[in-house]
Amino acid sequence: MNHISELLTGIAKALVDHPENLRVESEAFESETVIRLFVHPDDLGKVIGKQGRTARSLRTILSAAGSKMQHRFSLDVQSE
């Protein structure tokens, strides 16, 4: 599961203006892993995108990776 967090970190760092404030935490449950992406408040809109399109795309990537691994991932984007 660690490589999924690394993938998400790499993508998010390319999107934000304050990559030093980017933090990814994951909490694994039996059938699902919740990934929390913490960003600088100024970068929240960049990660979510217009009408949530960027966040939806990140969730699509997680879904595709999860289907291959037969595991479910969910993404939660928050500001610090």
Side-chain angles (χ1 to χ4, degrees):
M1 305 303 164
N2 190 26
H3 51 283
I4 298 296
S5 295
E6 290 175 15
L7 172 67
L8 191 61
T9 301
I11 293 170
K13 279 187 179 182
L15 295 172
V16 298
D17 290 333
H18 304 281
E20 66 278 359
N21 292 13
L22 182 72
R23 185 168 45 100
V24 177
E25 295 179 359
S26 60
E27 187 175 358
F29 298 101
E30 187 174 312
S31 63
E32 179 182 17
T33 299
V34 177
I35 298 176
R36 290 184 184 85
L37 183 63
F38 295 93
V39 297
H40 190 275
D42 294 342
D43 292 328
L44 190 59
K46 291 178 178 71
V47 175
I48 294 174
K50 290 186 179 181
Q51 298 180 351
R53 288 188 181 136
T54 304
R56 192 175 317 121
S57 297
L58 292 172
R59 289 183 177 106
T60 300
I61 291 169
L62 288 175
S63 175
S67 67
K68 181 172 180 154
M69 299 171 65
Q70 296 181 350
H71 191 77
R72 181 179 159 99
F73 292 97
S74 63
L75 176 65
D76 185 21
V77 181
Q78 301 176 0
S79 66
E80 291 194 292

